[in-house]
């Protein structure tokens, strides 16, 4: 069975989230993201703005690293082709 990233976050039923929205927002602001479920299935992930911005930074960094790795691979392939 595969593990989803959202499995690590606390889960809350949509009805409970709606009923206790103030408390839930406070928890999320403190860095405790939530997976909101409906009939036991994840429907959305709620994160603080700070957590979301960190994800965007991490994504941009990962994409830059991937780009450099692919670019570096292409250069190595060309150099090896010239030598071969």
């Amino acid at each position: 069975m595969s593990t989803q990233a959202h499995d690590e976050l606390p889960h809350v039923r949509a009805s409970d989230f709606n009923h206790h929205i103030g408390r839930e927002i406070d928890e999320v602001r403190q860095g405790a993201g939530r997976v909101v479920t409906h009939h036991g299935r994840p429907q959305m992930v709620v994160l603080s703005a700070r957590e979301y911005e960190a994800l965007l930074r991490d994504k941009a960094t990962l994409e830059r690293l991937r780009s450099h790795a692919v670019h570096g691979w292409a250069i190595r392939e060309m150099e090896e082709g010239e030598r071969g």
Side-chain angles (χ1 to χ4, degrees):
M1 176 194 280
S2 68
T3 300
Q4 301 292 322
H6 57 70
D7 288 343
E8 298 175 15
L9 295 173
H11 286 58
V12 61
R13 293 183 315 188
S15 58
D16 292 339
F17 186 84
N18 288 331
H19 187 66
H20 302 287
I21 190 76
R23 182 185 70 207
E24 294 295 336
I25 288 173
D26 289 342
E27 294 281 334
V28 169
R29 282 184 183 151
Q30 294 174 18
R34 296 277 187 273
V35 176
V36 181
T37 63
H38 184 67
H39 296 294
R41 287 183 243 145
Q43 300 299 308
M44 69 178 96
V45 175
V46 182
L47 301 172
S48 69
R50 182 182 35 167
E51 288 178 295
Y52 179 70
E53 289 166 358
L55 285 174
L56 291 178
R57 281 192 305 274
D58 290 347
K59 181 181 176 187
T61 300
L62 181 58
E63 287 173 357
R64 280 195 304 276
L65 290 172
R66 283 184 181 153
S67 174
H68 290 302
V70 169
H71 182 69
W73 172 80
I75 291 172
R76 283 191 304 276
E77 288 291 309
M78 287 174 30
E79 289 173 345
E80 288 174 7
E82 290 173 0
R83 284 185 242 150

